[in-house]
Amino acid sequence: THPAGSIAVFAILDETRQVWKTAYQETCAKPASSERHEQLACLLEVRDELAASIKELAKPGTDLDVGDVIGARVSLEGCGVHTR
């Protein structure tokens, strides 16, 4: 089991997943351009970063910390995605 603070981590992960998915779908719907290509590359990088964090958090005995997942939210904003 994880401590009660884990709920915040899971909530941030779920919200980040939803924001990422919407941003990815919207970006895919844009006409081909260098800007679209750059944004897709950025989104895929965030996806990979988030997947690595989740894999790490899934290890037994790992403490969940909001700081471990908040970086993905910041990275999404760096992709030009508004997360709030």
Side-chain angles (χ1 to χ4, degrees):
T1 62
H2 295 289
S6 301
I7 294 170
V9 172
F10 292 122
I12 292 169
L13 284 171
D14 187 54
E15 185 178 335
T16 302
R17 179 192 60 81
Q18 292 174 12
V19 170
W20 184 93
K21 184 178 174 183
T22 299
Y24 185 79
Q25 290 170 336
E26 290 173 355
T27 302
C28 286
K30 292 179 182 178
S33 69
S34 61
E35 179 183 327
R36 175 181 175 259
H37 179 75
E38 288 175 21
Q39 189 167 19
L40 282 172
C42 186
L43 288 168
L44 293 175
E45 189 174 317
V46 170
R47 179 202 61 191
D48 293 346
E49 174 186 336
L50 197 52
S53 293
I54 292 168
K55 188 174 184 178
E56 189 65 31
L57 292 173
K59 291 181 181 176
T62 301
D63 290 331
L64 298 177
D65 186 327
V66 172
D68 293 334
V69 295
I70 204 72
R73 292 300 294 259
V74 173
S75 295
L76 267 177
E77 291 177 7
C79 294
V81 175
H82 301 291
T83 61
R84 296 182 194 239

